[in-house]
Amino acid sequence: PFEELPYMERGLYFSLKNGNISSLLPDPTFRRYENLGPEIDLFANQSMTTLDTIADNAFKDNKVLQIIRFNRDIEIIGGYAFMGCSHLEQVQGAGIKHIYEGAFYNCPELGIVHMDDDLQIIEDYAFFNCKNFRGFDASVSDKGCNMSRMKSLTKIGKVAFANCSNIRRVVF
C-alpha cells in the first residue's frame, strides 16, 4: 500500500513509512552529515517519535560527529552506520535492541554506549577496533564489562569487541 519515500528534516534524510518517519538514511550528498556539527540530538523534534532505525551506513566516515542522542524508540543501529566516525565519543540511546554488523567499526574514541538493558543482539564486528570502548553503561563497572546485567542479550557476534583494548574483562 504505502512505499517508503525519502524525506528531509533539519538537514537529515529519512524514509517515510505509512506517513511516519521510519529510518534515518545516509546523506545522499556524500557530506556524511558533517555539516550538522559535532552533536546530533534526535530527541529535539516531536516528528521523530516514530523513528526506529539508524540505517546502514547512515553516518559512515563522519569525521566531525562526537555525540549522538536519540529517543527510546530507536531499536536498530544498522550495519556500518557509524563506521569510521573517528571522533565519536558518546552514543545515548535507551531502547537499542539490535546492533548490526560493523555498526561502530573503527570508532577509536567511543567510550561507553549509554543505554538500558534492552539490547538483544550484537552482530559481528560491531565494535571492532573501538580502542577506547569500555562497554555499555548498564554493564560497566570498575571490575570490567559485566554483560550479565544485560538480561535481554542473546547473541554476541564474532570478533564483536576485537581490538577494544580498554575492555579488560567480560563477565556473562
Side-chain angles (χ1 to χ4, degrees):
F2 289 99
E3 64 181 76
E4 292 195 23
L5 301 170
Y7 169 76
M8 183 179 163
E9 184 172 317
R10 292 182 26 219
L12 296 165
Y13 293 86
F14 301 94
S15 65
L16 294 179
K17 196 172 196 176
N18 298 330
N20 294 315
I21 289 176
S22 175
S23 297
L24 175 65
L25 302 172
D27 185 345
T29 67
F30 301 104
R31 291 181 299 187
R32 299 172 298 276
Y33 295 123
E34 289 180 347
N35 57 317
L36 298 178
E39 289 190 37
I40 296 177
D41 189 346
L42 299 176
F43 274 123
N45 195 317
Q46 281 298 100
S47 66
M48 294 184 196
T49 57
T50 57
L51 180 64
D52 63 4
T53 302
I54 305 291
D56 296 354
N57 303 305
F59 291 92
K60 183 179 178 184
D61 294 326
N62 181 312
K63 304 299 184 210
V64 176
L65 184 63
Q66 294 174 358
I67 299 170
I68 186 159
R69 295 178 191 90
F70 39 81
N71 63 30
R72 179 165 188 75
D73 297 325
I74 300 220
E75 296 181 353
I76 297 170
I77 305 292
Y80 305 98
F82 295 94
M83 176 183 176
C85 290
S86 56
H87 296 299
L88 182 63
E89 297 172 6
Q90 285 185 47
V91 175
Q92 299 174 4
I96 301 167
K97 292 184 178 167
H98 195 145
I99 299 175
Y100 276 84
E101 183 173 320
F104 297 98
Y105 188 107
N106 202 28
C107 295
E109 299 302 317
L110 183 60
I112 295 177
V113 174
H114 300 278
M115 55 186 284
D116 54 25
D117 63 359
D118 289 341
L119 185 61
Q120 297 169 4
I121 299 171
I122 301 171
E123 296 284 351
D124 301 345
Y125 302 97
F127 294 92
F128 184 87
N129 210 33
C130 293
K131 296 183 185 312
N132 199 35
F133 187 69
R134 293 191 329 247
F136 307 96
D137 61 355
S139 68
V140 173
S141 74
D142 58 350
K143 294 182 180 172
C145 185
N146 188 345
M147 300 300 267
S148 67
R149 295 181 191 167
M150 304 198 68
K151 303 292 183 202
S152 301
L153 191 62
T154 59
K155 176 186 176 188
I156 297 177
K158 295 181 299 190
V159 296
F161 299 104
N163 294 337
C164 295
S165 51
N166 273 341
I167 294 182
R168 306 268 188 261
R169 183 177 84 155
V170 177
V171 178
F172 292 95

